[in-house]
Amino acid sequence: MVTIKVKQIKSRIGAPKDQKRTLDTLGLRKINQVVEVEDTPSTRGMVQKLHHLVIVVD
């Protein structure tokens, strides 16, 4: 199982509801929080959708 680390870099305040739900699905609740998720196409799609709020940490 390959994983990636995703870090939230901006606030969810003012984001549309679907983006807030996507952050919840990834397990991100606070700025600078880092979560480790499985590297799947669906997860990559979520990260792409939130490209302005999160980054992938190596």
Side-chain angles (χ1 to χ4, degrees), residues 6-12 27-35 53-55 57:
V6 182
K7 180 178 181 179
Q8 183 176 348
I9 57 169
K10 289 200 175 178
S11 174
R12 65 174 53 217
L28 293 167
R29 305 249 187 260
K30 298 179 179 181
I31 296 175
N32 291 326
Q33 182 180 5
V34 178
V35 294
L53 298 176
V54 300
I55 58 171
V57 181

Side-chain angles (χ1 to χ4, degrees), residues 4-39:
I4 57 172
K5 291 183 181 181
V6 182
K7 180 178 181 179
Q8 183 176 348
I9 57 169
K10 289 200 175 178
S11 174
R12 65 174 53 217
I13 296 173
K17 284 185 181 182
D18 63 325
Q19 292 179 3
K20 290 179 183 180
R21 284 191 218 118
T22 305
L23 283 170
D24 290 339
T25 303
L26 288 172
L28 293 167
R29 305 249 187 260
K30 298 179 179 181
I31 296 175
N32 291 326
Q33 182 180 5
V34 178
V35 294
E36 195 168 341
V37 293
E38 190 174 347
D39 188 12

